[in-house]
Amino acid sequence: VDKDALDTQVKDRKIQEASEKARNEELANEMKQNDKIMCMLEQRQKNDIRNINKAINEFQKNFQKPETRREFDLSDPQALKKDRPARLSDNDPQCTVSGLQKFMGEDLNYDQRMKFQKEQLREWSLQQQRDWKNALADQKFADDLYDKNRIELDQKTMEQQRKEEEKRRAVCTATKDFNRTQAAELAERKMLEKYQKMKDDMDEISSLLQGDLLSENPEQAVSSFGRHRVITDRWKGMNQDQLMAIRHSQQQQVLEKLRLKEEERQRDAAWDRQSIQAARAQLVLERHQQRQNRECRQALDNINAVLSQEQKSKNIYLKEEAYSNIPTGQYYAQFNTTSR
């Protein structure tokens, strides 16, 4: 394994992950900023709509009052308080044609009244036009600001995408060059490894032919760390003393295992006895609890029976004695007998 190449790949991978993480954080911050701007624009638009509605309500409250309507006198709640006698004088403006108090052609204030009404209508119309122009100007300003912010956001997004494409293209180019270099190095390394393997194989064949393995020399299994240790690939087997020592050790292990099983069996039996005793105690406790619950239910049933009997007696008393008087027609005749 080429450790240096693997370390280089790991380092490049970490650098790439760090750049991707930084790019993702930058995009997240940009999205948060855009969301804040959008929330501010929406709040401003809501405030503008609220101000326009408030101005309309103020205008209707100040210049379009119900008292200025032509048919207000038909639904005026103070009509009776404002009502006056049918005729105060000969020049009373309430005198109608049917009263024969005032005839056509005798309206001396017609010009002045019409002039005042036209002036009033003109002022109302101009005021409405000014309010409407102001509302349109505010709406146009809000729309222009919204469009400007949207264009800026789109431009920033396009710039970010362009930078992202350039970074991705640069990363792809660097990765391609690195992979090409790694492939060339790998091919050269494989060639050297193949040559080295062939040389090692030849050396191993020569060593085996000239060594003690094929000649089956018993001394070749002795380890350099001591006579009690052997080399496994050269060892030809154990002698009778070693085999007897192993069999004796196995018998000791079997006896020890039997002893442990017996101890475990006794421990399990003790646990079983303890579990049975606990279950019996739990059963006795449950029966005692059931007996107490049964006694409580019987006492509660007796109390409910007594309360039911008392309720029945109270209902009989109310029905037969307390509510036995039935109202007659004379009782109802005493109501609504006075005039206002």
Side-chain angles (χ1 to χ4, degrees):
V1 178
D2 192 355
K3 187 175 182 299
D4 296 334
L6 293 177
D7 293 338
T8 305
Q9 290 181 357
V10 170
K11 184 178 180 180
D12 294 339
R13 181 65 178 176
K14 290 181 178 180
I15 293 172
Q16 184 179 1
E17 290 177 354
S19 61
E20 290 179 357
K21 183 178 179 181
R23 184 171 60 255
N24 293 331
E25 291 178 354
E26 185 178 357
L27 289 175
N29 294 329
E30 188 69 22
M31 292 176 66
K32 289 181 180 179
Q33 186 68 22
N34 295 336
D35 292 338
K36 289 181 180 179
I37 294 173
M38 291 298 297
C39 292
M40 292 174 63
L41 291 176
E42 290 178 358
Q43 186 65 30
R44 182 176 295 178
Q45 185 178 5
K46 291 180 180 179
N47 292 333
D48 293 338
I49 294 173
R50 189 183 300 110
N51 293 331
I52 291 172
N53 294 331
K54 184 177 180 181
I56 293 173
N57 293 331
E58 290 293 334
F59 177 80
Q60 292 177 352
K61 180 179 179 181
N62 296 328
F63 301 99
Q64 293 182 352
K65 296 180 179 180
E67 292 84 0
T68 60
R69 298 176 183 174
R70 182 179 301 176
E71 68 278 3
F72 178 74
D73 57 346
L74 299 178
S75 60
D76 187 6
Q78 304 293 333
L80 296 177
K81 294 182 180 180
K82 296 179 181 178
D83 193 12
R84 292 182 294 178
R87 180 173 181 276
L88 298 176
S89 62
D90 295 334
N91 297 325
D92 191 357
Q94 290 186 347
C95 294
T96 58
V97 177
S98 62
L100 297 179
Q101 299 293 329
K102 193 173 185 180
F103 299 95
M104 294 297 294
E106 295 182 356
D107 190 5
L108 301 179
N109 296 327
Y110 175 77
D111 296 335
Q112 184 177 1
R113 186 176 69 258
M114 292 302 295
K115 181 179 180 181
F116 176 75
Q117 291 178 355
K118 289 179 180 180
E119 184 67 23
Q120 189 177 17
L121 290 174
R122 187 177 69 83
E123 291 295 333
W124 289 352
S125 178
L126 292 175
Q127 182 64 28
Q128 289 180 353
Q129 291 177 5
R130 287 193 296 270
D131 294 340
W132 180 250
K133 288 180 180 179
N134 294 332
L136 289 177
D138 294 339
Q139 184 66 28
K140 186 175 183 302
F141 175 75
D143 294 339
D144 293 340
L145 182 61
Y146 178 76
D147 294 337
K148 181 179 179 181
N149 291 326
R150 289 296 301 172
I151 291 172
E152 291 179 357
L153 292 177
D154 293 339
Q155 291 178 354
K156 290 181 180 180
T157 303
M158 292 176 64
E159 183 68 20
Q160 188 67 26
Q161 290 179 355
R162 185 181 62 79
K163 292 180 180 180
E164 185 71 20
E165 289 294 334
E166 292 178 355
K167 291 181 180 179
R168 190 180 295 109
R169 194 179 298 110
V171 171
C172 291
T173 304
T175 304
K176 187 183 295 182
D177 296 337
F178 178 76
N179 291 334
R180 191 181 295 111
T181 305
Q182 290 292 321
E185 293 178 356
L186 182 62
E188 184 178 359
R189 193 185 305 110
K190 285 183 177 179
M191 187 179 297
L192 293 175
E193 289 177 356
K194 184 177 180 182
Y195 175 76
Q196 185 67 30
K197 185 178 180 182
M198 291 177 62
K199 184 179 179 181
D200 294 340
D201 291 341
M202 293 299 296
D203 294 339
E204 185 179 359
I205 291 171
S206 299
S207 177
L208 289 174
L209 291 175
Q210 297 175 4
D212 295 334
L213 178 63
L214 296 179
S215 62
E216 296 184 356
N217 186 6
E219 296 297 330
Q220 66 180 348
V222 178
S223 176
S224 60
F225 295 100
R227 302 292 296 180
H228 63 283
R229 301 182 65 177
V230 297
I231 301 175
T232 57
D233 57 348
R234 302 177 186 177
W235 187 49
K236 300 300 181 179
M238 293 185 298
N239 53 26
Q240 292 297 326
D241 294 336
Q242 293 175 343
L243 293 175
M244 290 299 295
I246 291 174
R247 291 193 183 95
H248 180 70
S249 177
Q250 289 177 349
Q251 290 178 359
Q252 293 295 329
Q253 291 177 357
V254 169
L255 294 175
E256 181 67 18
K257 189 173 182 180
L258 292 175
R259 186 181 64 79
L260 293 176
K261 285 185 177 180
E262 181 63 22
E263 291 179 356
E264 184 177 3
R265 186 185 64 78
Q266 293 177 1
R267 186 169 54 254
D268 293 338
W271 277 106
D272 292 338
R273 289 193 300 272
Q274 186 175 1
S275 300
I276 293 172
Q277 292 176 0
R280 289 178 178 175
Q282 183 67 24
L283 181 60
V284 172
L285 182 62
E286 290 180 356
R287 289 179 178 177
H288 180 68
Q289 187 68 29
Q290 291 178 358
R291 191 180 303 107
Q292 290 182 351
N293 293 336
R294 193 181 304 110
E295 293 176 357
C296 291
R297 285 198 300 270
Q298 290 178 358
L300 184 62
D301 292 339
N302 295 330
I303 293 173
N304 291 333
V306 173
L307 293 176
S308 177
Q309 187 64 31
E310 292 178 356
Q311 185 69 23
K312 289 181 180 179
S313 302
K314 184 177 180 180
N315 291 334
I316 293 172
Y317 171 76
L318 293 175
K319 183 177 180 181
E320 294 181 358
E321 297 183 10
Y323 301 149
S324 60
N325 295 329
I326 299 175
T328 60
Q330 185 179 1
Y331 173 76
Y332 292 105
Q334 64 182 344
F335 299 102
N336 296 331
T337 58
T338 61
S339 60
R340 295 180 181 178

